[in-house]
Amino acid sequence: MKDLQVKTRALSSLLMDIEKNKYDFNHPLQRQSGQWNKLTMSKLIDSAIRLYPIYPALVEENEDGTYGIIDGKQRLTIFSSFYHNEFALHKSLLPINIEGTTYELAGKKFDKLDEEVKDRFKSREFQLYIMSNATEDDIREIFARINSSKGLSNTQKRTTVENKELAEIVCDLKSHPVFEKLTTKVQRKKDENKDIVRQVLMLAEANNEYDFGSFRDGDMNKFLTMYNENINYDKIEIIRQALNVMDESFETIQVKKTTTPMLIYSYYRIIKDNKDIKKWNEWVANFIETYDDNEEYKQYCNGSGTASSDMVKGRLNYFRNAIKEC
């Protein structure tokens, strides 16, 4: 990495630039917004107003003059959300004394704060570490080191295994609107739809010459390392078409988490093999409706070993056999 600058910005100026889209919050390494609960968000705002130390953000300067957020997305989005009156401060917050006058914070949105408190928030200085000319390896390594003690899930850590191109593909696919139907809000908050996309990529590559192993962490990371150098854009486009078809075909799609990648893969195969989508929609609707009585399939979905090779391939073969009959 060639350059690292440290800049200090008043929150009012920083938030103005955020409104002008000068900051990109969609870097593939980043987690979804909304990771913090209301009390934690309120304590961040409280710290800003009380002039308590706040951990700086790490950003990457882009060629067009914008900045990609590498670390600090939660802090910056919370500042912006509060400034735009999107949440009220937690009722447990204590009053603050500013130059001999006491002001209440608890339960207030930004526009209900006293002017003195608003000014304190807007003038609060916040540090940015700005990287220029950083390589993909630099950024992944820095992100991994920063978050090594923050308890990232294996799903979130897996982003550091992907190169920039693959990470952007996964990020794009996991943002498809069909995931609003396929996954819960909690699953999306944990970025579990990223792993679903990765598993679909693994299934799409499975053949007589290549055995992906299992959906365990080690095998998934091994696959991503291999796939970094062997991205199949044709298959990815078919997967995107599969997501489109699923979104257009169903108002709701309620299946178990273990089945979601199999279901997406099945539509990938239906499109790839030029089979009857309407007929497959009927099969899927019946599969969902009769799931509770489907002991043949459920034997591969129960217990603690659902990510094992035998379980994953049992589910895969069940869908493959159904596709052959379609």
Side-chain angles (χ1 to χ4, degrees):
M1 186 174 68
K2 296 181 180 179
D3 300 299
L4 178 66
Q5 301 179 55
V6 181
K7 289 188 177 181
T8 301
R9 302 283 305 279
L11 282 182
S12 58
S13 175
L14 184 57
L15 294 173
M16 188 179 300
D17 280 350
I18 290 174
E19 290 181 11
K20 294 178 180 178
N21 296 317
K22 290 186 178 181
Y23 289 85
D24 178 12
F25 292 94
N26 296 314
H27 193 284
L29 284 173
Q30 279 295 311
R31 293 178 287 175
Q32 293 275 40
S33 299
Q35 298 291 317
W36 297 9
N37 60 33
K38 185 175 181 179
L39 178 58
T40 307
M41 293 192 299
S42 297
K43 287 184 175 180
L44 175 66
I45 303 301
D46 187 65
S47 293
I49 295 170
R50 294 182 191 276
L51 307 184
Y52 286 177
I54 297 175
Y55 200 80
L58 176 67
V59 304
E60 177 189 17
E61 186 173 14
N62 300 319
E63 292 182 359
D64 62 359
T66 61
Y67 299 91
I69 306 298
I70 305 301
D71 187 75
K73 177 177 180 176
Q74 307 302 320
R75 297 187 289 284
L76 290 174
T77 54
I78 289 166
F79 287 144
S80 181
S81 295
F82 179 68
Y83 184 65
H84 289 96
N85 297 302
E86 293 176 9
F87 70 93
L89 296 174
H90 198 275
K91 293 182 179 180
S92 66
L93 293 190
L94 299 175
I96 185 173
N97 187 288
I98 301 176
E99 296 182 355
T101 302
T102 300
Y103 300 98
E104 293 292 334
L105 302 178
K108 291 190 175 185
K109 291 187 175 181
F110 179 79
D111 63 354
K112 297 301 181 182
L113 293 174
D114 294 285
E115 289 302 320
E116 291 79 2
V117 181
K118 289 182 182 178
D119 290 342
R120 178 73 78 94
F121 175 79
K122 290 188 292 184
S123 62
R124 169 61 198 257
E125 293 186 336
F126 184 74
Q127 277 192 330
L128 299 170
Y129 282 76
I130 302 174
M131 299 187 300
S132 302
N133 302 312
T135 67
E136 292 180 31
D137 288 341
D138 286 334
I139 292 172
R140 289 202 302 269
E141 181 61 22
I142 291 168
F143 180 82
R145 292 187 185 193
I146 287 173
N147 289 284
S148 61
S149 62
K150 291 189 177 181
L152 292 179
S153 69
N154 287 331
T155 296
Q156 292 159 344
K157 289 178 181 177
R158 219 176 320 279
T159 304
T160 64
V161 180
E162 299 163 339
N163 64 23
K164 183 178 181 181
E165 189 172 10
L166 179 55
E168 288 176 347
I169 289 169
V170 171
C171 192
D172 177 55
L173 290 175
K174 71 95 179 179
S175 300
H176 194 286
V178 76
F179 281 102
E180 297 282 336
K181 303 174 182 180
L182 284 168
T183 56
T184 66
K185 186 175 181 180
V186 171
Q187 287 173 327
R188 294 191 296 274
K189 183 177 179 180
K190 293 180 178 179
D191 268 338
E192 290 183 8
N193 42 352
K194 280 189 175 182
D195 265 356
I196 291 171
V197 169
R198 293 162 181 148
Q199 290 166 359
V200 174
L201 292 174
M202 294 172 76
L203 295 173
E205 291 299 319
N207 55 50
N208 293 333
E209 289 75 35
Y210 176 71
D211 181 351
F212 59 80
S214 72
F215 283 170
R216 297 191 189 279
D217 291 324
D219 281 333
M220 288 187 66
N221 292 342
K222 182 179 178 180
F223 168 80
L224 294 173
T225 300
M226 178 279 294
Y227 202 67
N228 281 332
E229 307 301 325
N230 298 277
I231 297 174
N232 191 314
Y233 300 96
D234 292 336
K235 290 182 178 180
I236 289 167
E237 180 54 34
I238 298 174
I239 291 170
R240 186 174 283 106
Q241 292 175 32
L243 297 176
N244 290 338
V245 168
M246 293 172 68
D247 195 31
E248 293 165 1
S249 300
F250 295 95
E251 289 296 323
T252 60
I253 313 174
Q254 296 182 344
V255 294
K256 300 291 185 181
K257 181 169 67 174
T258 51
T259 297
T260 304
M262 303 295 164
L263 190 59
I264 298 171
Y265 166 77
S266 74
Y267 277 92
Y268 158 84
R269 281 289 308 276
I270 291 294
I271 294 171
K272 182 175 180 291
D273 298 345
N274 198 29
K275 289 181 174 286
D276 189 333
I277 291 175
K278 183 177 179 181
K279 186 176 180 181
W280 186 247
N281 283 342
E282 294 172 354
W283 184 93
V284 170
N286 182 68
F287 171 82
I288 294 172
E289 184 178 352
T290 61
Y291 179 84
D292 288 341
D293 298 321
N294 191 343
E295 298 301 330
E296 179 187 356
Y297 179 77
K298 286 170 60 179
Q299 65 179 312
Y300 302 113
C301 303
N302 299 323
S304 58
T306 55
S308 69
S309 177
D310 288 345
M311 289 290 206
V312 172
K313 288 167 186 172
R315 298 193 295 274
L316 176 60
N317 288 331
Y318 182 91
F319 272 86
R320 279 177 168 172
N321 291 334
I323 291 166
K324 286 178 183 178
E325 297 175 5
C326 179

